[in-house]
Amino acid sequence: MKKETQISYEYFKNSSELNDIETALFTKAKEARENAYAPYSNFLVGCAVLLENGEIYSGNNQENAAYPSGLCAERTALFWVAANFPNLKIKKIFVVGGPKEVQASHPPIPPCGACRQSLMEYETKQNENIDLYFSSMNEEVVKVNAIKDLLPFYFDSTFL
Ligand code: THU
């Protein structure tokens, strides 16, 4: 039997189509990207997280000479938020990434598989979907309405 799964997503051709809170998140993610520590890849990523109390926190990728010891922007931001505000729900996450030398054309940067799994953990924990936006520095933005949309057949604690 053949089955199919489908996701829907929003595409913004230009970030000027974003509303005020989305624009604030985009700006914070771009600011965080500037502080990324990525001397090995020269690929800078920033991530901004909106909590239910309206506060925005951010993170960026942190690389290491022992390459696998580094961490993506999404998990740097997410783990910090989860460590400090364990009882506040995450409403929205905005990721902006791309080469240090910004290129004229670059597609939006989606979270890596490991970050999707980590994000999924908190979406499940809070029992409420998280809006995820991702972009490069080139103004196009993609939005999904849940982390699980990016991770079909996700593994979670119900399987343990
Ligand atoms: N990176 C992120 O921070 N987030 C992603 O979703 C993709 C990749 C970082 C990891 C590494 O520091 C650099 O980008 C190149 O892979």
Side-chain angles (χ1 to χ4, degrees):
M1 189 191 300
K2 192 171 174 183
K3 295 189 178 190
E4 283 182 14
T5 184
Q6 194 177 314
I7 67 156
S8 61
Y9 62 93
E10 280 176 61
Y11 172 77
F12 302 81
K13 183 141 187 63
N14 193 283
S15 63
S16 60
E17 297 168 33
L18 298 171
N19 67 26
D20 286 354
I21 188 66
E22 292 167 338
T23 301
L25 281 165
F26 187 40
T27 301
K28 289 275 183 198
K30 282 194 285 192
E31 283 172 9
R33 179 182 169 278
E34 293 300 315
N35 291 327
Y37 177 61
Y40 306 104
S41 71
N42 284 315
F43 191 88
L44 312 186
V45 186
C47 176
V49 179
L50 173 69
L51 298 180
E52 63 180 337
N53 64 0
E55 296 288 333
I56 298 175
Y57 296 95
S58 62
N60 45 39
N61 51 330
Q62 296 294 319
E63 297 187 347
N64 195 283
Y67 294 171
S69 299
L71 197 64
C72 291
E74 295 89 326
R75 278 175 288 165
T76 303
L78 184 65
F79 292 162
W80 190 87
V81 164
N84 288 283
F85 307 102
N87 300 317
L88 290 184
K89 288 186 178 177
I90 296 168
K91 304 297 279 186
K92 296 176 183 289
I93 295 185
F94 210 121
V95 184
V96 180
K100 186 172 185 177
E101 300 300 328
V102 176
Q103 294 171 357
S105 163
H106 202 288
I109 304 297
C112 78
C115 285
R116 295 178 197 201
Q117 181 68 29
S118 293
L119 289 162
M120 195 61 227
E121 182 73 22
Y122 296 96
E123 184 167 279
T124 307
K125 174 177 174 255
Q126 70 181 31
N127 198 25
E128 190 177 301
N129 290 351
I130 299 170
D131 290 334
L132 177 82
Y133 303 75
F134 56 90
S135 79
S136 67
M137 294 294 281
N138 291 104
E139 302 290 317
E140 288 170 82
V141 179
V142 175
K143 177 190 178 191
V144 291
N145 294 313
I147 306 301
K148 58 174 168 283
D149 285 350
L150 288 183
L151 200 59
F153 294 106
Y154 61 86
F155 178 82
D156 68 10
S157 62
T158 62
F159 296 101
L160 296 175

